[in-house]
Amino acid sequence: MASAEPAADGAGAAALNPGVPIRGIRMKFAVLAGLVEVGEVSNRDIVETVFNLVS
C-alpha cells in the first residue's frame, strides 16, 4: 500500500539559490512581490530595491 506521507526528496522545499541571477524585470518584481506578501522584507528594503530596479 502507498504511504500517505510526502516523499522525503526535498521537492516540497522551494528555496531560491542565491548564486543564480534573476533575469528580466518582470521576474524581479514578481520575486519582490512574493517576498513582500510573506513579510520577508522591511519597508526600507522594498524602497531601495524598487529604486535599484527602475534605475
Side-chain angles (χ1 to χ4, degrees):
M1 294 192 110
S3 172
E5 295 178 12
D9 62 357
L16 291 177
N17 182 353
V20 177
I22 300 171
R23 293 189 169 89
I25 194 75
R26 286 181 180 241
M27 181 60 79
K28 289 177 181 180
F29 275 104
V31 169
L32 177 61
L35 291 173
V36 169
E37 190 173 313
V38 297
E40 289 292 321
V41 291
S42 68
N43 288 341
R44 181 180 179 153
D45 290 338
I46 294 167
V47 172
E48 289 178 1
T49 302
V50 169
F51 283 144
N52 285 331
L53 288 174
V54 297
S55 62

